[in-house]
Amino acid sequence: MKNLYLVRHGNTVDNINFRYSGFSDCDLSDVGRQQARQLNVYLKNIDIDRIYTSTLKRTGQTVDEVSRYLGLEMLGLDDLREMNFGKFDGKTFEEIKSEYPEDFKRMMTGDVMYTFPDGENIEMAYERNARGIDHIIKECNEVDNVLVCVHMGTIRNILSHLIAKNPSLHWHFKVENASITKIEFIDGFPVMSMMGHIPYDKSLIRPMMKRVD
């Protein structure tokens, strides 16, 4: 592989309502579909050889147009899914704070080993995502350009894995919906040549949730 294009899925109905969205299989929102249309215009200009997604439908919905345009199958991998938020999946920040006050306090400490109830912690998700991208790199040894459409947490874990070989960099990457990050492999050495490029009208960027103290 020469180039790896990491794309985050477009804005979803859970994103619009500021709900935790891990293994929950939500759809793109109207805004997300607009983002995806403009993203796909950009992607059609890249000579993509293979397309991978997670097995959650929001990723496939994001790059379906370019996959059909190029006549490429979208290859779904469970290991590329977002972190499993367990009982918090589909809930808002305020709902978690109200329904799980003790867990909420532990979650807010930022401890990477904090495990969501019936879900994962960052290290568990990192190991799963790292396994997924390692599989892709091995499988795509003979092709040039690979598109991987996944999730914010997944992209953070993949970048951490490729650069540091551990999850220590997880929180250091800003990944907007439908943005593109490019990794070039130079003699097998990964170099980030583009980070978080937004190929659509900036008015479609999702507003960040205000922190509630």
Side-chain angles (χ1 to χ4, degrees):
M1 184 193 309
K2 293 181 179 178
N3 301 299
L4 171 64
Y5 295 88
L6 297 171
V7 172
R8 183 185 174 194
H9 62 76
N11 184 270
T12 69
V13 292
D14 277 355
N15 292 154
I16 287 286
N17 294 304
F18 298 111
R19 295 186 179 278
Y20 275 72
S21 188
F23 277 25
S24 60
D25 207 10
C26 57
D27 290 294
L28 294 186
S29 66
D30 289 341
V31 169
R33 294 184 187 281
Q34 293 179 64
Q35 292 172 341
R37 280 195 292 272
Q38 295 180 42
L39 165 70
N40 279 275
V41 170
Y42 182 95
L43 294 175
K44 287 175 183 178
N45 293 313
I46 301 172
D47 188 18
I48 298 167
D49 297 298
R50 289 187 189 169
I51 299 176
Y52 291 85
T53 67
S54 83
T55 50
L56 296 170
K57 61 186 176 183
R58 55 191 182 270
T59 59
Q61 290 173 349
T62 299
V63 294
D64 175 67
E65 183 180 336
V66 71
S67 74
R68 287 186 284 106
Y69 175 80
L70 295 173
L72 295 174
E73 178 185 1
M74 292 184 291
L75 304 170
L77 294 179
D78 281 337
D79 279 344
L80 297 180
R81 286 187 174 206
E82 178 61 279
M83 181 185 288
N84 182 359
F85 296 121
K87 290 181 178 179
F88 292 178
D89 227 334
K91 293 186 178 296
T92 66
F93 190 79
E94 283 301 309
E95 286 171 345
I96 295 168
K97 185 177 181 181
S98 173
E99 297 173 24
Y100 300 91
E102 294 304 316
D103 268 291
F104 177 83
K105 291 176 184 177
R106 292 197 294 273
M107 180 179 73
M108 295 306 292
T109 64
D111 182 2
V112 296
M113 295 307 295
Y114 170 73
T115 303
F116 290 92
D118 293 342
E120 295 177 313
N121 59 41
I122 288 178
E123 186 170 290
M124 294 163 66
Y126 167 82
E127 293 294 339
R128 176 169 53 76
N129 295 158
R131 184 171 63 243
I133 198 63
D134 283 346
H135 168 79
I136 290 172
I137 291 171
K138 182 178 180 180
E139 193 168 73
C140 296
N141 185 53
E142 301 299 322
V143 302
D144 291 337
N145 301 307
V146 177
L147 171 64
V148 176
C149 184
V150 284
H151 311 268
M152 176 167 62
T154 307
I155 292 174
R156 285 171 166 170
N157 283 333
I158 289 173
L159 293 176
S160 291
H161 177 58
L162 294 177
I163 295 170
K165 298 300 181 185
N166 63 63
S168 62
L169 299 180
H170 182 90
W171 297 112
H172 291 270
F173 304 109
K174 183 178 182 181
V175 187
E176 296 284 2
N177 289 112
S179 63
I180 306 169
T181 294
K182 180 181 178 181
I183 301 291
E184 297 181 21
F185 290 89
I186 303 172
D187 294 327
F189 185 79
V191 176
M192 188 188 304
S193 59
M194 180 169 66
M195 176 69 209
H197 175 62
I198 297 172
Y200 53 85
D201 191 298
K202 302 303 186 292
S203 67
L204 295 174
I205 296 175
R206 177 176 74 126
M208 295 301 291
M209 181 170 64
K210 296 180 180 178
R211 179 170 178 173
V212 180
D213 295 317

